[in-house]
């Protein structure tokens, strides 16, 4: 079953912040985040393992709430290069070999 | 390293035709998978493999076959193409199962008329 992402789309001005959420109805082993530019393949951003950790690099970070089976991706001081579609992928406890993606969040950053 | 390669990049089929989408990786990755991407549907898992000789079904396996005779190659076969299989197909690989980065190929855009 696909994880649920919200919002479906968001438009930001350069420098603004955004949060993208990902939730699952099943117990999660890990959450992956990827970004895809139009016409290109998805590119890896980060992975979070169960344990409630938070990760980040540059101005993009993420958290994982194991109890709520949720993850959030935080984009701060957005840049034009952040535009694209963001996907979360989840691996459920017991089926760690199967990575299932959400339907994506389209992010557009404007001047 | 070439990473993950897919051929062809574009393909047009007629309903009922069969074909094989090729996927290869040169990173000695154990895990390989196929996804299809349709507007508004995200990436949906078709089939995956945790090693040579081992394959399993994903969310949307109907109409597709896979095999994994070598570590490097993971072809996807469309048995009898249908318009509903019009999509962009991505192959991905990772070092092994579990929480590892997925490396995606460039994709194959398939149209079935």
């Amino acid at each position: 079953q696909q994880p649920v992402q919200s919002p479906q789309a968001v438009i930001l001005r350069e420098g603004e912040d955004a949060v993208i959420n990902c939730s699952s109805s099943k117990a999660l082993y890990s959450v992956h985040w990827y970004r895809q530019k139009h016409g290109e393949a998805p590119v890896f951003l980060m992975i979070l393992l169960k344990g409630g950790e938070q990760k980040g690099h540059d101005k993009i970070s993420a958290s994982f709430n194991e109890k709520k089976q949720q993850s959030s991706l935080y984009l701060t001081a957005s840049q034009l290069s952040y535009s694209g579609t963001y996907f979360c992928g989840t691996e459920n406890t017991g089926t760690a070999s199967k990575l299932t993606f959400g339907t994506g969040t389209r992010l557009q950053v404007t001047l | 390293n070439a990473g993950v390669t897919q051929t062809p990049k574009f393909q047009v089929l007629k309903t009922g035709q069969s074909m094989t989408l090729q996927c290869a990786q040169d990173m000695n990755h154990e895990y390989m998978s196929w996804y299809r991407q349709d507007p508004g549907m995200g990436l949906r898992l078709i089939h995956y493999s945790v090693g040579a000789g081992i394959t399993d079904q994903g969310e949307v396996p109907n109409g597709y076959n896979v095999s994994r005779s070598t570590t490097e190659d993971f072809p996807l076969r469309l048995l009898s193409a249908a318009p509903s299989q019009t999509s962009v197909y991505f192959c991905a690989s990772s070092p092994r199962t579990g929480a590892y980065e997925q490396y995606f190929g460039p994709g194959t855009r398939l149209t079935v008329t």
Side-chain angles (χ1 to χ4, degrees):
Chain A
Q1 188 175 1
Q2 287 183 288
V4 178
Q5 284 186 237
S6 63
Q8 288 185 317
V10 59
I11 299 176
L12 298 174
R13 289 185 184 271
E14 200 173 24
E16 291 183 334
D17 302 338
V19 180
I20 299 172
N21 299 303
C22 175
S23 64
S24 173
S25 58
K26 297 185 178 181
L28 292 176
Y29 169 72
S30 72
V31 179
H32 298 222
W33 286 98
Y34 291 78
R35 177 171 61 206
Q36 183 180 32
K37 302 275 188 178
H38 183 69
E40 299 179 5
V43 173
F44 173 77
L45 293 175
M46 64 190 77
I47 292 174
L48 300 98
L49 294 174
K50 65 177 183 178
E53 66 177 90
Q54 185 155 351
K55 275 196 170 182
H57 59 84
D58 200 10
K59 294 172 183 168
I60 300 176
S61 61
S63 62
F64 180 13
N65 186 322
E66 185 182 347
K67 288 184 179 178
K68 292 186 177 181
Q69 313 302 340
Q70 292 177 349
S71 177
S72 295
L73 186 72
Y74 306 95
L75 299 100
T76 58
S78 59
Q79 306 167 14
L80 294 175
S81 62
Y82 286 4
S83 294
T85 301
Y86 290 77
F87 292 98
C88 71
T90 57
E91 293 172 296
N92 298 119
T93 301
T95 60
S97 58
K98 194 184 277 192
L99 180 62
T100 305
F101 285 92
T103 54
T105 296
R106 182 174 294 183
L107 177 76
Q108 183 180 354
V109 181
T110 63
L111 289 171
Chain B
N1 285 354
V4 180
T5 58
Q6 291 183 239
T7 56
K9 287 188 178 180
F10 301 94
Q11 183 71 47
V12 179
L13 289 179
K14 294 188 176 181
T15 298
Q17 288 183 317
S18 63
M19 79 158 296
T20 299
L21 306 185
Q22 300 292 343
C23 174
Q25 52 90 10
D26 61 359
M27 298 174 282
N28 200 32
H29 284 174
E30 289 183 1
Y31 182 85
M32 297 185 74
S33 56
W34 277 102
Y35 292 89
R36 61 176 288 173
Q37 185 171 35
D38 305 293
M41 302 294 288
L43 295 153
R44 291 184 292 170
L45 182 65
I46 304 172
H47 285 285
Y48 65 98
S49 169
V50 300
I54 306 169
T55 63
D56 205 347
Q57 295 181 349
E59 305 166 81
V60 289
N62 292 342
Y64 307 94
N65 270 357
V66 293
S67 60
R68 183 100 179 268
S69 56
T70 67
T71 299
E72 294 78 19
D73 300 300
F74 190 43
L76 179 71
R77 281 182 287 276
L78 281 71
L79 309 173
S80 177
S84 61
Q85 293 178 304
T86 293
S87 188
V88 179
Y89 291 84
F90 287 102
C91 178
S93 74
S94 67
R96 54 188 58 84
T97 60
Y100 288 90
E101 173 185 351
Q102 299 285 314
Y103 294 79
F104 283 86
T108 294
R109 183 174 295 274
L110 176 69
T111 302
V112 183
T113 62

